[in-house]
Amino acid sequence: MKKTLFMLISMSLLTSCNLKEKATDAVTKTMEQAIEAKVGQDIDLPSAESILENHASVTYTVGDKTYLSPEEKMHAMVLVNKDASGLSISFQLSSESGSTMVVSASHVQQIKPLPLKAAFNAGNSYDGVHPLATAIFMSVKDNTISSNAIPYDGELIITRLSEEEVAFEVQAKGGHPQEATTPQSWKPIVIKASLKKPIIQTMGVESETIFQ
């Protein structure tokens, strides 16, 4: 519910990017204070500058097929949440053509120093030691939503975390849900992403402690 609230706020900010920067920043600060009073945790909402300059370059392949290339225009959002289980970091990418990718790391206990690594597994379960990685890709064509291979083994590697740029890659193997227990049918999954001026939203943690 709280993440949904943040996303709705971001959408409202996108429609008001023609406001002067000082006025927008004042509104953002007021909204932050109002939400913090409700949820009892620190949050950071995206700035007008990050919304205007936001874009992502992504390469995504499964086996010998390419689903995303750097030429496709994409928008990027980074959500960071802190709770009793640690930090959760989610990279949400969307294109004008209807493609959506969400790559996440959860149960993160320590971010610095980079690179930060998180592990995929077929059971999608936290082993108590290594941060857990997940990745989902969906596309919409002709009013039909289709999903792609899910990583069941391998790593998510976050190599850069700053307000100017976020970079990560996935080196994994996986398949469709019915193939989770048949490793012999898995295909290589490779993702390389560079997010420029991503929209950043944090909850329960100050952004300055996350983004270097």
Side-chain angles (χ1 to χ4, degrees):
M1 176 65 73
K2 293 173 183 175
K3 289 183 180 179
T4 301
L5 175 62
F6 290 166
M7 294 180 72
L8 289 172
I9 292 170
S10 295
M11 291 173 65
S12 69
L13 287 173
L14 284 168
T15 64
S16 59
C17 286
N18 59 336
L19 295 175
K20 292 182 179 180
E21 185 175 347
K22 287 185 178 179
T24 303
D25 288 344
V27 171
T28 299
K29 186 64 177 178
T30 300
M31 294 173 72
E32 286 178 348
Q33 292 172 345
I35 296 172
E36 286 171 356
K38 290 289 186 182
V39 302
Q41 292 182 317
D42 293 330
I43 69 162
D44 283 314
L45 296 178
S47 66
E49 181 183 7
S50 67
I51 294 173
L52 289 170
E53 299 182 9
N54 170 271
H55 69 279
S57 174
V58 184
T59 300
Y60 169 51
T61 61
V62 178
D64 57 2
K65 186 171 182 179
T66 299
Y67 290 91
L68 290 175
S69 60
E71 291 75 24
E72 183 162 6
K73 184 178 180 180
M74 301 196 79
H75 301 284
M77 177 181 291
V78 182
L79 301 177
V80 182
N81 178 61
K82 184 176 182 181
D83 57 24
S85 66
L87 287 170
S88 295
I89 305 172
S90 179
F91 309 112
Q92 302 186 4
L93 313 172
S94 60
S95 72
E96 295 177 353
S97 65
S99 297
T100 300
M101 175 178 284
V102 180
V103 179
S104 302
S106 60
H107 302 279
V108 177
Q109 305 303 318
Q110 182 176 337
I111 286 185
K112 302 175 183 179
L114 294 176
L116 169 64
K117 297 182 179 182
F120 295 97
N121 66 67
N124 194 33
S125 57
Y126 177 49
D127 64 6
V129 178
H130 305 96
L132 176 65
T134 58
I136 299 173
F137 174 79
M138 294 182 293
S139 60
V140 179
K141 291 184 179 179
D142 299 325
N143 296 321
T144 301
I145 300 176
S146 59
S147 59
N148 212 338
I150 299 171
Y152 292 131
D153 183 50
E155 285 187 324
L156 161 64
I157 306 170
I158 302 172
T159 55
R160 185 168 178 79
L161 272 176
S162 74
E163 294 183 350
E164 298 294 322
E165 180 184 10
V166 172
F168 68 87
E169 63 180 82
V170 169
Q171 298 288 341
K173 291 183 178 181
H176 294 287
Q178 63 270 24
E179 299 173 323
T181 58
T182 56
Q184 64 273 17
S185 63
W186 296 350
K187 296 179 180 179
I189 299 173
V190 178
I191 303 171
K192 294 184 179 180
S194 175
L195 288 52
K196 304 292 187 179
K197 289 280 187 178
I199 295 174
I200 296 172
Q201 297 180 5
T202 65
M203 180 174 175
V205 62
E206 294 286 347
S207 61
E208 292 81 4
T209 65
I210 304 297
F211 298 93
Q212 304 174 13

